[in-house]
Amino acid sequence: MLAVFAEALREFGRLVPEDQQRRYEMVASELEQEAAKEQPDRGWVRSLLERGKNLLVGAPANLQHLAQVAKIGFDLYGQGLA
């Protein structure tokens, strides 16, 4: 499931201005690295999800609804890590 969030963040990043895309890619890559582990570090995953959500907060106006949906997914997944 974590890999799905990583790919969603990566795809979202392709929709933002080019100068912002690298930040989305970095968080997505780090999420994928954790997803590939047998036992992902829960604290680090929560931190990465929070970083992803913070990126989505600054989404362009035309992507705000999509960003809201993604943030809800990140929140729900993060609650399961508690």
Side-chain angles (χ1 to χ4, degrees), residues 6-77:
E7 187 55 32
L9 191 60
R10 179 175 283 115
E11 288 179 11
F12 191 91
R14 292 180 188 132
L15 301 173
V16 300
E18 194 171 319
D19 64 327
Q20 298 173 19
Q21 291 177 2
R22 179 73 184 131
R23 292 182 289 165
Y24 287 84
E25 178 61 35
M26 286 174 48
V27 175
S29 293
E30 291 175 5
L31 282 169
E32 285 176 336
Q33 289 173 9
E34 286 302 308
K37 294 179 180 178
E38 190 171 314
Q39 297 263 123
D41 180 324
R42 295 171 85 126
W44 181 233
V45 170
R46 278 193 296 273
S47 175
L48 290 171
L49 291 173
E50 194 62 34
R51 285 174 53 197
K53 285 180 5 185
N54 288 338
L55 287 172
L56 294 168
V57 168
N62 64 325
L63 299 174
Q64 281 298 312
H65 291 107
L66 182 59
Q68 287 294 334
V69 171
K71 286 190 297 188
I72 290 168
F74 279 37
D75 281 339
L76 292 174
Y77 188 86

